[in-house]
Amino acid sequence: MTEQILIIDFGSQVTQLIARRVREAGVYSEIVPFNLAEAAFEKMKPKAVILSGGPASVTHQDTPRAPDAVFKAGIPVLGICYGQQTMVEQLGGKVETHDHQEFGRADIAVIKNSPLFAGLIDEEKLKDGELQNRRVWMSHGDRVTALPEGFEIIGVSEGAPFAAISDEARRFYAVQFHPEVVHTDGGTTIIQNFIHNIAGCKGDWTMAAFRESEIAKIRAQVGSNRVICGLSGGVDSSVAAILLHEAIGEQLHCIFVDHGLLRMNEAEQVVKLFNDHYNIPLVHVDAKVKFLGQLAGVSDPEQKRKIIGGLFIDVFEEEAGKLGGADFLAQGTLYPDVIESVSFTGGPSVTIKSHHNVGGLPERMNMKLVEPLRELFKDEVRALGRELGLPEEFIRRHPFPGPGLAIRIPGDITEEKLEILRKADHVYLDEIKNAGLYDEIWQAFAVLLPVRSVGVMGDARTYDYVLGLRAVTSTDGMTADYYPFDHDFLGRVSTRIINEVRGVNRVVYDITSKPPGTIEWE
């Protein structure tokens, strides 16, 4: 792998979107926290570096900085938001806190032709003095007030007179706005211009290339040791298992834990896929009683996740002993799991929620982690699944959380609630598929709310549960918007659920985007 872009993370919640945009352009990228960046830079020897945004202020002492080596290596550097500010500060310019802040949509005026804006402006009109306006996404309280030597202004906004700057000789570029988010008009083109036109990357990284390199990494990490892969029933762990099997063959043993929190008929489908389609050795563990016993009476969502994660480890440990021991535990951890769970060591990013498959293993376990998908987004995992030959119907399945239905039942969990939710969720997805909408939606599911309401059925009073429906559109799970079902569809789903699922007498639809909400309710 010769072409790589290093992304130095200063704690932005959308840093992973930068990596996504770079990979969409066919160039492999890696993200490292700022405090580990110097060693990563020396080891990686990237063709270019991108400095991310972040919540800190360069006007304060002891805030994050980029390694000086980045600016001395003779390679292109792109600074974004905080990345712009630390670049300016480190190279001799000035940044100040200002009363005029910009958050959300803003307009910049491109005032000078630049390879960064190639294809986005009319160069002839610009030569004639006609400014070229672009809609962008801002998020800053500080702003550049003096440029380092060699820099010039190429774009301005009302709140940022140095909204876009460049030093063409050194191929240093910096923008105050966020080109990585979808709200910035032409943001993807700006990033592609940087990596292709400025950094000279060919863009030949593909899932086939990732498959080949990751298999080599797995073999180097695992050697001749045995690996246990924990299957959850979802696409992520299944793709990880199949990739591992291709890499190490009979050294892999898969354990599928049925924790009693799966969707309707899911356990049977997983067993059939691995036994019949791939002929991969699979141990099917029925642990419903154990999981539901530990979860009884537990309402706090973080406690639920930790209980489920802990029991998964316990089951793996027990089954590993039965198999004669193993040296590694494999998991289908993805990038969004990591960013929502763990702040980078020493970094200023904020933990949103924990995930049962992120954060390492208990010290008592003499096993190491193998996480071959940890750097991938969900759509990249699906692309890898196709590369590995998974059935299309399985690849296209909506994401399903490791803790399963436990986090779709706010409050305590009972067998009765699980049965109600399974049936209602099945009806909901069935109607979505019948309407031909399944592939338009990133994720759809039902949530059984800890609320009962009065209803009337057959001239009798009912006092049953309220069911929430959730459906979102997204590309990577980092941001999402609700799916705009028409009222006829929602009415049809509501009628079927209330008629077919005993225990529900009211259905509501969640129209919250992410942010401010998360996709899952817990």
Side-chain angles (χ1 to χ4, degrees):
M1 189 180 298
T2 56
E3 293 185 340
Q4 299 185 76
I5 301 290
L6 175 64
I7 301 166
I8 299 178
D9 182 26
F10 293 105
S12 170
Q13 293 290 344
V14 293
T15 299
Q16 274 66 26
L17 294 182
I18 304 173
R20 175 177 169 75
R21 303 296 173 244
V22 174
R23 293 180 192 183
E24 284 173 346
V27 179
Y28 182 72
S29 60
E30 286 189 8
I31 297 172
V32 297
F34 68 89
N35 55 316
L36 302 178
E38 188 166 5
F41 179 74
E42 292 299 324
K43 179 180 178 182
M44 188 176 178
K45 300 189 180 344
K47 290 201 71 171
V49 171
I50 299 177
L51 310 176
S52 86
S57 171
V58 298
T59 63
H60 299 162
Q61 290 185 343
D62 301 324
T63 49
R65 295 291 184 271
D68 289 336
V70 167
F71 302 115
K72 297 176 180 177
I75 62 173
V77 182
L78 172 64
I80 295 174
C81 195
Y82 182 90
Q84 181 203 48
Q85 295 164 8
T86 194
M87 177 190 289
V88 166
E89 187 81 12
Q90 289 181 243
L91 295 177
K94 191 172 183 180
V95 176
E96 297 178 353
T97 300
H98 198 272
D99 291 338
H100 191 136
Q101 304 175 90
E102 286 182 310
F103 295 97
R105 289 179 176 84
D107 289 309
I108 69 161
V110 178
I111 64 173
K112 188 173 183 1
N113 189 27
S114 167
L116 199 64
F117 295 124
L120 295 175
I121 59 172
D122 187 322
E123 296 181 15
E124 291 304 316
K125 288 183 178 180
L126 192 61
K127 288 178 183 177
D128 293 337
E130 185 177 333
L131 300 183
Q132 306 284 298
N133 292 324
R134 307 296 304 183
R135 178 60 56 90
V136 300
W137 189 262
M138 292 282 195
S139 181
H140 69 97
D142 294 348
R143 70 183 191 183
V144 176
T145 56
L147 291 179
E149 185 177 349
F151 278 82
E152 62 181 347
I153 303 171
I154 56 176
V156 301
S157 76
E158 184 179 353
F162 300 88
I165 59 176
S166 70
D167 180 336
E168 300 289 347
R170 289 185 286 181
R171 294 183 295 170
F172 291 168
Y173 298 82
V175 294
Q176 181 59 71
F177 57 90
H178 287 270
E180 71 271 29
V181 302
V182 295
H183 311 291
T184 291
D185 183 21
T188 297
T189 300
I190 290 171
I191 292 176
Q192 289 179 349
N193 283 339
F194 176 72
I195 61 178
H196 291 315
N197 301 342
I198 296 169
C201 293
K202 296 186 295 291
D204 55 5
W205 182 74
T206 62
M207 269 303 127
F210 177 85
R211 173 187 183 179
E212 183 179 337
S213 65
E214 197 60 34
I215 285 173
K217 286 182 184 177
I218 291 168
R219 288 172 178 165
Q221 180 184 7
V222 171
S224 60
N225 295 310
R226 301 178 70 181
V227 179
I228 285 180
C229 180
L231 294 177
S232 66
V235 176
D236 306 336
S237 61
S238 299
V239 170
I242 293 162
L243 183 64
L244 283 157
H245 188 255
E246 185 169 312
I248 60 175
E250 294 181 357
Q251 294 169 238
L252 174 70
H253 296 270
C254 292
I255 299 174
F256 173 52
V257 178
D258 184 355
H259 49 25
L261 304 167
L262 299 173
R263 293 167 288 196
M264 188 175 288
N265 303 322
E266 190 158 33
E268 294 83 352
Q269 293 168 2
V270 173
V271 172
K272 188 174 188 300
L273 175 70
F274 278 81
N275 285 345
D276 297 350
H277 191 83
Y278 283 99
N279 196 29
I280 296 175
L282 175 67
V283 175
H284 180 196
V285 183
D286 186 345
K288 300 186 194 74
V289 174
K290 182 179 291 187
F291 276 83
L292 296 184
Q294 288 285 326
L295 290 167
V298 177
S299 298
D300 180 74
E302 283 297 291
Q303 192 177 354
K304 286 181 188 178
R305 288 176 179 273
K306 289 173 181 176
I307 288 171
I308 293 167
L311 283 177
F312 261 104
I313 297 297
D314 291 342
V315 172
F316 291 144
E317 195 173 30
E318 183 179 342
E319 293 301 322
K322 293 178 184 178
L323 291 169
D327 304 279
F328 291 89
L329 173 65
Q331 296 183 156
T333 309
L334 304 190
Y335 243 167
D337 298 337
V338 175
I339 190 61
E340 286 190 338
S341 297
V342 184
S343 300
F344 284 115
T345 304
S349 56
V350 178
T351 298
I352 306 299
K353 62 185 178 182
S354 65
H355 287 256
H356 79 281
N357 59 341
V358 176
L361 297 171
E363 290 184 4
R364 73 172 192 274
M365 292 190 69
N366 190 26
M367 297 172 73
K368 299 174 184 176
L369 275 178
V370 181
E371 297 175 304
L373 312 181
R374 189 179 177 91
E375 304 303 320
L376 295 185
F377 294 99
K378 177 65 90 173
D379 61 322
E380 292 175 323
V381 173
R382 289 196 174 106
L384 180 59
R386 292 186 180 94
E387 181 71 26
L388 293 167
L390 260 78
E392 188 63 28
E393 183 179 356
F394 192 84
I395 290 171
R396 287 169 32 237
R397 290 177 73 189
H398 290 176
F400 187 65
L405 300 181
I407 59 171
R408 294 178 180 175
I409 302 177
D412 65 315
I413 300 167
T414 65
E415 287 273 18
E416 177 197 18
K417 290 181 180 179
L418 286 166
E419 189 63 20
I420 291 171
L421 183 56
R422 278 195 195 95
K423 290 178 179 177
D425 190 71
H426 179 74
V427 170
Y428 180 35
L429 292 178
D430 186 53
E431 282 296 320
I432 288 174
K433 291 173 183 175
N434 290 342
L437 301 175
Y438 190 81
D439 291 339
E440 293 183 27
I441 296 169
W442 165 265
Q443 191 171 3
F445 56 90
V447 180
L448 190 65
L449 304 180
V451 175
R452 290 180 183 265
S453 71
V454 174
V456 178
M457 292 184 183
D459 295 326
R461 177 187 185 275
T462 62
Y463 190 61
D464 288 328
Y465 288 106
V466 178
L467 188 84
L469 303 180
R470 180 80 157 138
V472 298
T473 57
S474 182
T475 54
D476 47 40
M478 297 298 295
T479 60
D481 203 358
Y482 72 91
Y483 187 82
F485 288 124
D486 62 50
H487 287 282
D488 287 342
F489 174 85
L490 291 173
R492 190 163 61 249
V493 171
S494 176
T495 299
R496 272 199 66 187
I497 289 173
I498 290 172
N499 286 344
E500 298 177 29
V501 182
R502 187 176 295 275
V504 175
N505 69 357
R506 193 178 301 271
V507 176
V508 298
Y509 186 53
D510 179 357
I511 60 169
T512 312
S513 62
K514 175 187 179 180
T518 55
I519 295 177
E520 296 287 349
W521 276 47
E522 291 191 340

